[in-house]
Amino acid sequence: MNRNLLVVALIASTAICASCAPVTIVQDGGSEFSIVHAADAPTSVVAAAQDLQTYIAQASGATLPIVTEPAQPAIILGAAAGLALADVPVEGFRLMTRDGNVLIAGPDTGEGEHTAQGGSSHGTRNGVCHFLEEFVGVRWLMPGEYGDDVPEMTTITVPETDMTDAPFFLNRRVPYTQEDEPEVKEWWARQKLGWSLYLSHGHNFRRTIPAELYDEHPDWFPEFDGQRVPPTGRYKLCLTNPGLIAAFAQRIIDYFDARPEATCYSLSPSDSGGWCQCPDCAALYEEDPEGNLSVTPAVLHFYNEVAKIVGEVYPDKVLAGYVYAAYVYPPTEPIELQPNVFLVWAPSFDYGYTLFRPELRETWESLAEQWTQVTGNIAYYDLPTSMANDAGAPCPPGLEILQFLYPRLKDANMKGVYVYGQESWGTGAPTNYLLAKLAWDPEVDVEAVFEEFMDRCYAEGSDEVEQMYRMLDAEVKRHFLENEDARYVLTPKIMEDVYARNFAEMERLYRAAEAKVADPNATQRLQWLGWNLTLLHWNLRQFNLLDDPTDSSFYMPDADFFAWFAERKGSLAFRPDRRHGGAAVTEVAAAPVDEVPNAEQQQVFLLRGDQHIVILPLEDQATVSFSRITTRGKLVQYTVHGADGAEISAGIMSAEVPIELDAVGSPHYHLVISGGSATYMVEVEGGAWAVSGAVDSKGLHLLNKVTPLYFEVPPGCPSFRLTLQATPPGETALATLYAPDGREVESFRAVEMPVDRKEIAVGAGDAGMWKLVISEAETGVVDDVWVDLGDEIPGWFSLDPAQALSVRSAQ
């Protein structure tokens, strides 16, 4: 797209010169100007007018009235400006001075209106944001009341101007920046993020073809070793099955039938592995240049076949799909795509600072060229400067990577960018700001923008904060060049080699900046960074990575740290706690189990990830303790809810500070753990307890160390399903199921195939506590293993038979 930034030259006549003369809006703190927009202006134009009023008043002290009737002199917005916009692209704007007024307008969609490509256009607001940045000097550094930097300007003059501007990318998103928060939504709008081209491209197999369809159509699901495997977790589909293709297409048609305004549907496969091995699918697979499996031809075949069917009914609707992971390489033989297919290239090999490696840059450039030869309908998805973490570790902006990446995205004519930002604004604001500016103009000077951000954000302390981020940029680059296994996960190795190694210098620079900053807003922004360094220090201490942690000015004992964190929890400064939706608290009936037949001694076990535990105090107080904690960069948080679902308390998992649950406070308690990929062991004193198998879609998740599991089969249940899952061939598992009378009922094997699901008949007298014993197979090791119970039974597991708990629905 052509970017046209120009100042009109003086031409022809004195009349024209007069009409284009500079315009002084505020003189010595006073103004006769109004802000004008049409009475029926779109909400984006109204918001733009309010921003103009607010920031001009903050800068100069002059409050310009907002009116919906003609007035002069004025800043005239939107349709009221009367500007010709035929040559202004969607989301673009025209800004000019004329006859003593300032006119700002662009294509604007109203409420319920969409662009031709299904998005929206807020051209006038984009123009106002440019005006405030260019002529008033406003910078929106981060969201919230402390995020704006507005210089004092008692006089505001706009030179003679006639310019247009528009974004290069038609879809500009910086996700994972807490964008659902109102303050961040405003920041997005002021940074001119948005989309005139709407694309929906999330992993979509499970939503389109639910797992429940397996019983009726097992051939729609992947085949392994000659058998169709029951779907669990992030399951794949059989990409060549005609019935599956027809059903997938019909569900898309039904979706568009029910939503005539919708313009796009995602074709993207579920994440992770598990591709179908049936002969028809396998015949389309290739080997990529790295010697790995490439399923690209099969995926593009699936996209095309579905698109043909949908296109017959809805030829103008867009079907978007990833090219990613095992289908990130183009096919060796050209495949012509249907015109309604839109690809989203997600080069997963470059996630997390790996583009510091020269050889990966060469791969990236080669593949970008190849994919853009496949189709012009292509957008971009990436997390090239991200090690998302809850540990308070600042992720550097990756200046060198951004300078490499964005001009090449423009050269490749990518239609959109979906590039991860940083959820922790206390540490991620520089990255988020850079990504927003690059989304509008991919050729912006990255170094200049970064340096200005530092100056405007941290004022007198900017030199020290800039040194800190540049040091982290250099250290992360060194680590990624020296360690080929480093990617986008904050590992203990990175914590030690980058953050522990440099923490003393980070602390010195932060304290030096803190001592210099006088500006109150800059002080608050710097404090947000300091809060994260406090969190980082605590996490480094948990890893035993600091020689003398108590010597640090950031040190707090656990109890003090938890109280400190509780006061700040929920701030945009931190990455938010994302609890699993499956752990929603509902009312249950809980009762202790008097005796568990065939009980074995509890063994050491490790739960993994998010968990939901019900605890019933049997004494005055039940105490919950954690041990063997491995966080994997996750700040493992929890909430405690009463029997009625009301939240009682919250905290951070620690081996030092247990959770105390008073028997008087509630009949029983729900402990909801936001664990990410962390592992840990749970012990309860003075109470009975059970763990839900419904939080993870695959079932109860254990890692490496397992113990016998006990679960209740209620009276009157004729049968139930039980599923054992692992990830063979490297990670395998066996299991044996025992009825309450001790007889062996069934065996399970996740060795040749990842999933073993069986229907278990329940005989007369079999109600009660059943036992499942997980064991090692003859090959592989027990590592990630899941156990899932069907909906026929309550679905709660007791891990200590001496503290077994019956949990049932309260209905």
Side-chain angles (χ1 to χ4, degrees), residues 386-409:
S386 176
M387 288 186 297
N389 67 90
D390 298 332
C395 291
L399 302 174
E400 180 184 321
I401 292 173
L402 297 180
Q403 194 67 69
F404 164 83
L405 187 62
Y406 275 81
R408 287 165 175 81
L409 292 174

Side-chain angles (χ1 to χ4, degrees), residues 275-276 280-300 325-335 370-371:
W275 298 99
C276 180
D280 289 340
C281 285
L284 295 176
Y285 297 162
E286 301 178 333
E287 185 177 283
D288 71 23
E290 306 299 319
N292 300 315
L293 172 70
S294 172
V295 300
T296 304
V299 170
L300 296 187
Y327 48 114
V328 74
Y329 281 88
T332 55
E333 296 295 328
I335 296 176
Q370 292 177 54
W371 275 118

Side-chain angles (χ1 to χ4, degrees), residues 280-413:
D280 289 340
C281 285
L284 295 176
Y285 297 162
E286 301 178 333
E287 185 177 283
D288 71 23
E290 306 299 319
N292 300 315
L293 172 70
S294 172
V295 300
T296 304
V299 170
L300 296 187
H301 165 82
F302 170 77
Y303 288 174
N304 265 342
E305 294 304 304
V306 172
K308 288 176 186 176
I309 299 172
V310 175
E312 291 177 358
V313 182
Y314 288 108
D316 297 327
K317 306 288 190 181
V318 172
L319 304 179
Y322 290 135
V323 281
Y324 156 78
Y327 48 114
V328 74
Y329 281 88
T332 55
E333 296 295 328
I335 296 176
E336 183 177 353
L337 294 180
Q338 293 295 304
N340 53 343
V341 172
F342 203 110
L343 298 184
V344 179
W345 183 42
S348 44
F349 59 81
D350 81 356
Y351 289 1
Y353 301 100
T354 56
L355 280 176
F356 277 132
R357 299 170 184 154
E359 67 278 9
L360 276 185
R361 292 190 186 186
E362 293 179 7
T363 299
W364 189 99
E365 290 190 279
S366 173
L367 293 187
E369 181 180 1
Q370 292 177 54
W371 275 118
T372 53
Q373 290 174 356
V374 171
T375 179
N377 289 344
I378 190 165
Y380 190 71
Y381 177 116
D382 203 356
L383 43 150
T385 57
S386 176
M387 288 186 297
N389 67 90
D390 298 332
C395 291
L399 302 174
E400 180 184 321
I401 292 173
L402 297 180
Q403 194 67 69
F404 164 83
L405 187 62
Y406 275 81
R408 287 165 175 81
L409 292 174
K410 179 179 179 180
D411 291 343
N413 200 26

Side-chain angles (χ1 to χ4, degrees), residues 160-172:
E160 57 184 71
T161 300
D162 187 352
M163 60 162 289
T164 62
D165 194 13
F168 177 79
F169 301 114
L170 304 180
N171 186 297
R172 305 173 310 287

Side-chain angles (χ1 to χ4, degrees), residues 1-248:
M1 183 181 300
N2 291 327
R3 301 175 57 83
N4 179 22
L5 295 167
L6 57 96
V7 176
V8 171
L10 296 174
I11 57 173
S13 69
T14 304
I16 292 178
C17 292
S19 74
C20 293
V23 175
T24 298
I25 297 170
V26 179
Q27 181 72 51
D28 298 327
S31 178
E32 297 180 356
F33 271 68
S34 300
I35 299 169
V36 178
H37 65 71
D40 60 350
T43 55
S44 63
V45 176
V46 174
Q50 293 167 346
D51 273 358
L52 268 177
Q53 183 185 62
T54 296
Y55 289 106
I56 288 175
Q58 284 186 27
S60 68
T63 300
L64 279 57
I66 299 174
V67 300
T68 57
E69 298 292 334
Q72 292 197 29
I75 304 174
I76 308 174
L77 305 181
L83 291 175
L85 300 177
D87 295 331
V88 179
V90 287
E91 299 192 86
F93 60 87
R94 187 178 180 190
L95 190 161
M96 70 178 299
T97 54
R98 186 168 68 190
D99 298 331
N101 302 304
V102 176
L103 313 179
I104 308 173
D108 296 312
T109 50
E111 194 71 26
E113 296 179 344
H114 299 287
T115 63
Q117 293 176 296
S120 57
S121 180
H122 302 149
T124 298
R125 186 167 194 184
N126 291 339
V128 166
C129 292
H130 175 87
F131 173 90
L132 288 170
E133 287 188 311
E134 183 71 15
F135 302 118
V136 187
V138 177
R139 295 294 182 271
W140 296 285
L141 302 166
M142 59 179 70
E145 60 179 315
Y146 306 108
D148 303 343
D149 187 53
V150 185
E152 292 184 6
M153 298 181 68
T154 56
T155 297
I156 299 174
T157 298
V158 181
E160 57 184 71
T161 300
D162 187 352
M163 60 162 289
T164 62
D165 194 13
F168 177 79
F169 301 114
L170 304 180
N171 186 297
R172 305 173 310 287
R173 288 183 280 177
V174 183
Y176 296 95
T177 51
Q178 303 192 52
E179 60 269 23
D180 289 336
E181 297 296 328
E183 307 100 307
V184 184
K185 287 182 178 180
E186 280 195 341
W187 185 87
W188 269 47
R190 290 165 179 163
Q191 293 294 348
K192 300 177 288 203
L193 295 171
W195 53 89
S196 56
L197 166 64
Y198 175 75
L199 293 174
S200 174
H201 48 74
H203 301 290
N204 208 25
F205 274 13
R206 290 195 297 174
R207 183 165 73 101
T208 307
I209 304 294
E212 293 76 22
L213 293 173
Y214 173 82
D215 290 338
E216 185 178 355
H217 301 285
D219 56 318
W220 292 2
F221 295 87
E223 178 181 307
F224 296 97
D225 209 22
Q227 299 183 51
R228 298 288 174 172
V229 176
T232 66
R234 298 167 168 179
Y235 57 83
K236 296 296 191 293
L237 300 171
C238 181
L239 299 178
T240 57
N241 184 282
L244 177 277
I245 289 169
F248 205 105

Side-chain angles (χ1 to χ4, degrees), residues 389-631:
N389 67 90
D390 298 332
C395 291
L399 302 174
E400 180 184 321
I401 292 173
L402 297 180
Q403 194 67 69
F404 164 83
L405 187 62
Y406 275 81
R408 287 165 175 81
L409 292 174
K410 179 179 179 180
D411 291 343
N413 200 26
M414 294 286 172
K415 301 301 189 296
V417 283
Y418 184 98
V419 177
Y420 283 31
Q422 302 292 335
E423 291 185 288
S424 165
W425 281 92
T427 58
T431 297
N432 296 341
Y433 188 85
L434 280 163
L435 292 176
K437 296 304 180 189
L438 287 161
W440 182 270
D441 179 3
E443 294 183 314
V444 74
D445 186 332
V446 170
E447 282 285 341
V449 172
F450 175 70
E451 289 176 3
E452 189 203 42
F453 176 89
M454 287 292 156
D455 289 341
R456 301 288 294 267
C457 190
Y458 301 111
E460 300 89 349
S462 63
D463 286 348
E464 287 77 10
V465 179
E466 182 176 337
Q467 286 180 52
M468 181 191 302
Y469 276 98
R470 289 191 182 278
M471 175 186 71
L472 288 173
D473 234 4
E475 284 292 277
V476 168
K477 178 179 180 180
R478 173 191 59 77
H479 181 89
F480 272 73
L481 291 177
E482 292 176 356
N483 298 272
E484 292 184 359
D485 59 340
R487 296 199 69 229
Y488 62 96
V489 176
L490 180 64
T491 62
K493 188 175 182 179
I494 295 175
M495 287 283 278
E496 179 177 15
D497 188 43
V498 174
Y499 293 100
R501 177 177 182 167
N502 294 285
F503 189 81
E505 180 63 6
M506 294 167 67
E507 182 172 4
R508 185 192 71 79
L509 289 168
Y510 175 80
R511 295 304 181 195
E514 184 181 50
K516 292 168 65 175
V517 173
D519 178 84
N521 286 344
T523 298
Q524 182 63 46
R525 295 190 286 263
L526 182 66
Q527 188 176 75
W528 277 18
L529 174 59
W531 289 357
N532 278 273
L533 295 181
T534 302
L535 179 58
L536 175 60
H537 178 274
W538 184 84
N539 277 286
L540 291 172
R541 185 162 65 84
Q542 306 313 301
F543 282 96
N544 295 314
L545 295 178
L546 299 174
D547 292 335
D548 299 299
T550 58
D551 291 345
S552 170
S553 60
F554 291 108
Y555 171 76
M556 293 183 200
D558 276 4
D560 294 344
F561 172 78
F562 294 157
W564 172 90
F565 185 78
E567 293 176 357
R568 292 157 178 79
K569 185 178 179 181
S571 166
L572 289 174
F574 296 117
R575 189 185 190 208
D577 175 24
R578 297 186 178 278
R579 291 188 184 86
H580 196 289
V585 173
T586 58
E587 290 191 28
V588 298
V593 178
D594 293 334
E595 182 180 357
V596 176
N598 309 303
E600 299 183 29
Q601 182 73 30
Q602 177 187 286
Q603 304 297 315
V604 171
F605 64 87
L606 290 175
L607 296 173
R608 185 164 199 181
D610 302 341
Q611 301 291 345
H612 178 190
I613 303 173
V614 170
I615 301 151
L616 176 70
L618 299 177
E619 301 174 4
D620 292 342
Q621 193 174 67
T623 301
V624 183
S625 302
F626 301 102
S627 61
R628 301 175 181 268
I629 303 168
T630 302
T631 63

